[in-house]
Amino acid sequence: MIDLYFWTTPNGYKVTILLEELGWTYNVIPVHIGKGEQFKPEFLKISPNNKIPALIDHDGPDHTSIALFESGAIMMYLAEKSGWRFMPADMRRRYDVVQWLMFQMGSVGPMLGQAHHFRRYAPEPIPYAVERYTNEAHRIYNVIDRRLSEEAYLAGEYSIADMATYPWLRPHKWQGQELAEFPHLSRWYADVRARPAVQRGLAILRDMLDRNRDKPSGKAWNTLFGDKQFERR
């Protein structure tokens, strides 16, 4: 059995999409980041950076349990465990996938996350930050669009790189981007969105999702963006 520590964020959805694509049974353990559950000592033992997702595979290597944090590492582990599904065993093709996964981890997630923050959540407008991260988001979208003018998917065939990138592009309007500007990305976006496993992965904990998406304030804002609990431990 796999225990997935999850909340409804792009990084969380990356792993639920992969697990649904693999067709595996897994147990979802909600970690409500708005309530600070990511700072609980039992969660920090699994995810020392107090971030979701995290995973425990109770039938890991040598049939012993293994705990993992960092969504990219989790995806690579699951792909390898599955017999190299969605990440080829062939070294050349595998590193086509890995480099685009690292692009998502190093550029797509961090930069689009900053665009989210300064465009929607910052306590006061900072025009320089808004412009800087909106422009960087646009550059990243162009990188993806150029790549998808050459290949159907980021690494040629559908892979964990696509599963990792798609959830971060769903809130494109929050990032100040219009998909119509990027025709090849738009085609890919529609193809990925239409996959049944993607839809199932995005439905996990849907009933717990805050549909208002209002700017958090007070304690909720401090928990998400300014909390010092972890530093004090």
Side-chain angles (χ1 to χ4, degrees):
M1 174 61 73
I2 289 173
D3 290 335
L4 176 64
Y5 294 79
F6 171 86
W7 197 243
T8 54
T9 72
N11 284 335
Y13 288 134
K14 289 154 61 170
V15 179
T16 55
I17 288 171
L18 175 54
L19 286 166
E20 292 295 333
E21 290 282 9
L22 292 172
W24 289 357
T25 300
Y26 57 102
N27 178 42
V28 176
I29 301 173
V31 180
H32 196 313
I33 61 176
K35 295 181 179 178
E37 293 177 357
Q38 69 272 32
F39 296 109
K40 290 183 176 181
E42 57 268 30
F43 181 68
L44 291 173
K45 289 180 181 179
I46 305 166
S47 181
N49 195 31
N50 62 272
K51 305 291 184 183
I52 63 93
L55 179 145
I56 296 178
D57 181 3
H58 296 282
D59 185 22
D62 301 320
H63 303 291
T64 60
S65 294
I66 183 172
L68 295 164
F69 71 103
E70 285 294 332
S71 56
I74 292 170
M75 297 183 85
M76 292 176 69
Y77 169 80
L78 294 174
E80 184 172 352
K81 179 183 172 75
S82 72
W84 302 106
R85 293 179 63 191
F86 306 112
M87 188 176 73
D90 173 77
M91 180 174 284
R92 186 179 300 276
R93 294 175 58 222
R94 181 165 76 250
Y95 275 90
D96 282 342
V97 173
V98 169
Q99 66 185 350
W100 285 103
L101 178 64
M102 295 302 105
F103 172 70
Q104 186 283 307
M105 297 291 293
S107 293
V108 174
M111 294 298 103
L112 301 191
Q114 293 295 336
H116 290 174
H117 182 80
F118 287 106
R119 291 176 63 89
R120 289 184 62 87
Y121 298 126
E124 58 185 46
I126 305 174
Y128 171 79
V130 171
E131 181 179 11
R132 189 259 188 277
Y133 289 111
T134 302
N135 289 343
E136 180 63 4
H138 195 270
R139 185 191 71 80
I140 287 169
Y141 275 60
N142 271 317
V143 171
I144 297 171
D145 192 64
R146 286 196 303 271
R147 172 58 175 172
L148 294 171
S149 72
E150 304 166 347
E151 299 284 353
Y153 296 99
L154 289 170
E157 297 181 359
Y158 182 64
S159 72
I160 59 173
D162 302 289
M163 301 177 210
T165 302
Y166 171 76
W168 277 100
L169 272 57
R170 292 177 69 227
H172 49 88
K173 291 189 181 295
W174 289 13
Q175 302 151 13
Q177 309 305 312
E178 293 291 340
L179 291 185
E181 295 185 40
F182 310 99
H184 307 291
L185 186 155
S186 294
R187 182 268 309 158
W188 166 89
Y189 184 95
D191 288 348
V192 175
R193 180 179 59 187
R195 295 180 68 92
V198 172
Q199 293 299 311
R200 293 195 301 271
L202 296 174
I204 302 300
L205 297 190
R206 181 174 287 164
D207 59 332
M208 299 181 69
L209 185 63
D210 180 4
R211 294 294 181 184
N212 293 325
R213 297 294 190 180
D214 291 335
K215 180 187 292 187
S217 60
K219 184 178 179 180
W221 192 95
N222 284 330
T223 299
L224 288 169
F225 305 121
D227 200 284
K228 303 297 183 183
Q229 291 186 56
F230 180 65
E231 295 179 11
R232 293 198 298 268
R233 290 189 183 277

